[in-house]
Amino acid sequence: METLLSVMILSHSRNIVHIKWLAAPINPADLNTLEGVYPVKPPLPAVPGLEGYGRVEKIGSRVKKFRVGDHVLPAKADMGTWRTDGYHDEADLVAIDNSLSMEASATLLINPPTAYRMLKDFVDLKPGDTIIQNGANSAVGRAVIQAPTGPFIFKDIRLIGFWITPWFDDVKNAEERKRMFAELSGWMKSGKFIPPPLEKRNIEDFASAIEAAVKFGKKQLLVM
């Protein structure tokens, strides 16, 4: 039987931030995690959810990066966003633009950065170039199409695997991550980049949301 679990909220320590999680999408990677086949396997018991955004409710006395009311994303893959509240180390959170919509904020972490890094890190794109891609019916493929970046003309054929999770986990990318989210947020605010179609469901209806997500129709968004 699927049930929501209520847990005691512990008092926060000096480096801990109390986050009120607001919305989290259900991605294929989340389904793989529930099935136990995703490469990142959080220690059990665990809270699902690789992506989502929340609001800072309280901060510990030594927290420097955030203020109450800031909107944040997870900075690593195994934090668990399918929850109403969480206490997290400030190093495990990334601030985002508070003026972004719920839909944009909740889906900012995975697919847009994957497309962004693919276009930035593997080819030297210049204005006037052209990108060619096939199989672009995924969220990442649609993100590549929307990214207002100069494209790419193939002069040879290369096969490159890219996974955004290790990139996020590399501390050397911390400053670039801030710059990337700032640029992606700017594109979203200007309308150059739009979130995927979403079907919002209350978190209490998570079982139906997962069932719908398995059918790979409209992306499901859990709203806390």
Side-chain angles (χ1 to χ4, degrees):
M1 177 182 296
E2 300 91 351
T3 59
L4 289 176
L5 178 64
S6 297
V7 297
M8 182 181 297
I9 300 296
L10 303 177
S11 60
H12 57 285
S13 62
R14 289 178 289 183
N15 295 316
I16 298 300
V17 183
H18 174 197
I19 300 299
K20 180 72 173 178
W21 291 103
L22 301 175
I26 300 178
N27 291 305
D30 295 311
L31 301 177
N32 292 157
T33 301
L34 294 175
E35 294 166 341
V37 298
Y38 194 64
V40 175
K41 295 179 175 61
L44 299 177
V47 177
L50 300 174
E51 187 175 32
Y53 87 108
R55 181 181 63 242
V56 175
E57 295 290 292
K58 296 180 182 179
I59 59 174
S61 60
R62 290 188 178 179
V63 172
K64 304 297 183 184
K65 293 167 51 179
F66 304 104
R67 296 178 297 177
V68 172
D70 284 349
H71 288 180
V72 298
L73 302 176
K76 59 181 187 178
D78 60 351
M79 288 175 57
T81 55
W82 297 4
R83 64 171 98 196
T84 58
D85 295 84
Y87 280 79
H88 309 281
D89 191 288
E90 67 171 328
D92 295 335
L93 300 165
V94 180
I96 60 171
D97 191 326
N98 275 35
S99 65
L100 289 176
S101 68
M102 171 187 289
E103 294 81 0
S105 299
T107 58
L108 181 60
L109 181 65
I110 295 179
N111 293 313
T114 300
Y116 185 97
R117 299 258 57 95
M118 288 169 61
L119 295 172
K120 290 281 188 178
D121 295 347
F122 300 104
V123 291
D124 182 19
L125 297 174
K126 298 179 178 61
D129 290 345
T130 301
I131 296 172
I132 300 174
Q133 66 168 337
N134 61 7
N137 59 339
S138 68
V140 172
R142 292 193 294 268
V144 169
I145 292 170
Q146 293 185 75
T149 307
F152 173 60
I153 298 175
F154 287 102
K155 296 183 179 178
D156 56 13
I157 296 175
R158 291 186 295 163
L159 179 62
I160 300 174
F162 178 70
W163 185 26
I164 194 67
T165 298
W167 189 91
F168 278 132
D169 290 342
D170 191 337
V171 295
K172 297 192 299 294
N173 294 324
E175 289 303 315
E176 172 61 16
R177 181 175 58 196
K178 293 179 184 177
R179 194 194 68 78
M180 175 184 69
F181 280 130
E183 187 165 17
L184 288 170
S185 297
W187 292 349
M188 288 183 169
K189 290 173 65 175
S190 68
K192 295 178 180 178
F193 203 111
I194 60 175
L198 298 166
E199 182 175 357
K200 298 177 184 177
R201 294 178 186 260
N202 191 281
I203 192 171
E204 280 80 8
D205 195 24
F206 72 94
S208 297
I210 292 173
E211 183 178 352
V214 171
K215 299 176 182 177
F216 295 104
K218 186 178 292 186
K219 186 183 287 286
Q220 302 294 300
L221 182 67
L222 298 175
V223 178
M224 289 54 154

